Amino acid sequence: MYQIIDGKRISQEIKDELKEKVAAMKAEGVERCLAVIQVGSDPASSVYVNNKKKACEYIGIKSLSYELPEETTEAELLELIGSLNAREDVNGILVQLPVPEHIDEDKVLLAIAPQKDVDGFHPVNVGNLSIGRPGYVSCTPAGVIQLLKRSGIEIAGRECVVLGRSNIVGKPMAMLLLRENGTVTVCHSRTKDLKEITRRADILVVAVGKPKLVDADYVKEGAVVIDVGIHRNENNKLCGDVDFDSVAPHVSAITPVPGGVGPMTIAMLMNNCVEGCR
């Protein structure tokens, strides 16, 4: 029988731990503050921003919300980021992506001071991760590591395969698994004999953005499978990159969608806000 890795429960554990830490910090006169910027009114972005505000409120972090109109210029956005960089009372800055097409996303990410980049997207933080120095780590991959550790799954010495090479998930995921002494292979759209490689994995992390791509043919018996994808199927139900019903009977542990990796992203954002700035 396989273990379902419960991201809702683990993310709640982390938020409860952070709540206690924030209370202790406040008792010492130390406050934390996250500034969240949203440009435009994309419905999905609005949901994410609202969830981040709720998480801040739950653990006791102050949040500043900047909901800017769609027509906000790149210069105006960069000016706002610059002013938040200069504020000593703001510890973290997050710009909800995507931004409107007339704004250069790379310029926006570069404008956020690395020491306030709680998303972990700034090249300085990515570089720190790659060479093993302290810094903010991208929230979703950091959440996957916590899911594994808090579920009693050993990473050191295991063969780990990451399916996907995005800057937000795939690449930092590979580096974090290496940091935990896993033996890591990264696969992508140009990988030859893909199933042969994924079937070697003791731990398979799937982040390709294609609904139910990975079925039982991709998975070794007894593997641990982490599904980072999230989509809506033809019946408008949420599903992941992994065909759960096909894969689950063959694994030792697996994350569901929803309720697996998803809740961990905000939990690790809150962790970055509290721990990274201390």
Side-chain angles (χ1 to χ4, degrees), residues 36-66:
V36 181
I37 304 169
Q38 180 183 356
V39 184
S41 55
D42 176 73
S45 291
S46 297
V47 170
Y48 292 139
V49 166
N50 193 45
N51 287 341
K52 288 164 186 173
K53 289 181 196 171
K54 286 179 180 176
C56 284
E57 186 178 354
Y58 181 79
I59 69 169
I61 290 178
K62 182 181 177 184
S63 66
L64 302 175
S65 181
Y66 297 88

Side-chain angles (χ1 to χ4, degrees), residues 15-223:
K15 287 189 283 188
D16 287 342
E17 290 166 11
L18 292 172
K19 189 175 184 178
E20 289 184 16
K21 287 179 182 175
V22 169
M25 291 162 73
K26 282 185 175 178
E28 297 171 0
V30 179
E31 292 271 3
R32 289 286 169 253
C33 176
L34 172 66
V36 181
I37 304 169
Q38 180 183 356
V39 184
S41 55
D42 176 73
S45 291
S46 297
V47 170
Y48 292 139
V49 166
N50 193 45
N51 287 341
K52 288 164 186 173
K53 289 181 196 171
K54 286 179 180 176
C56 284
E57 186 178 354
Y58 181 79
I59 69 169
I61 290 178
K62 182 181 177 184
S63 66
L64 302 175
S65 181
Y66 297 88
E67 292 165 4
L68 309 178
E70 185 88 18
E71 59 272 17
T72 299
T73 66
E74 184 180 280
E76 288 169 334
L77 176 57
L78 295 177
E79 184 180 358
L80 172 58
I81 293 169
S83 69
L84 292 170
N85 283 337
R87 284 181 57 169
E88 290 188 8
D89 63 323
V90 173
N91 309 103
I93 302 169
L94 183 152
V95 177
Q96 182 64 44
L97 302 177
V99 290
E101 287 184 3
H102 65 276
I103 296 173
D104 186 332
E105 188 175 291
D106 287 338
K107 282 187 184 177
V108 171
L109 297 180
L110 283 168
I112 299 171
Q115 65 270 25
K116 297 190 179 187
D117 166 43
V118 287
D119 262 333
F121 295 161
H122 194 285
V124 167
N125 286 319
V126 175
N128 284 336
L129 172 61
S130 71
I131 61 173
R133 292 183 60 185
Y136 288 115
V137 176
S138 186
C139 300
T140 300
V144 170
I145 295 295
Q146 285 300 311
L147 284 177
L148 293 169
K149 286 185 171 182
R150 290 173 184 248
S151 299
I153 295 164
E154 181 73 28
I155 301 171
R158 308 290 293 280
E159 183 141 8
C160 307
V161 174
V162 179
L163 190 44
R165 56 176 170 178
S166 72
N167 290 336
I168 292 175
V169 180
K171 290 175 186 175
M173 187 74 256
M175 286 189 280
L176 284 173
L177 289 165
L178 276 173
R179 192 165 79 177
E180 297 295 331
N181 298 311
T183 300
V184 183
T185 302
V186 179
C187 298
H188 46 79
S189 59
R190 300 292 182 90
T191 299
K192 293 180 179 178
D193 303 319
L194 179 61
K195 291 180 183 179
E196 188 177 309
I197 295 169
T198 59
R199 280 199 297 264
R200 296 202 308 253
D202 300 310
I203 299 171
L204 176 62
V205 182
V206 186
V208 288
K210 294 184 178 179
K212 297 188 177 183
L213 172 74
V214 171
D215 59 21
D217 291 341
Y218 286 79
V219 178
K220 179 171 78 171
E221 289 290 326

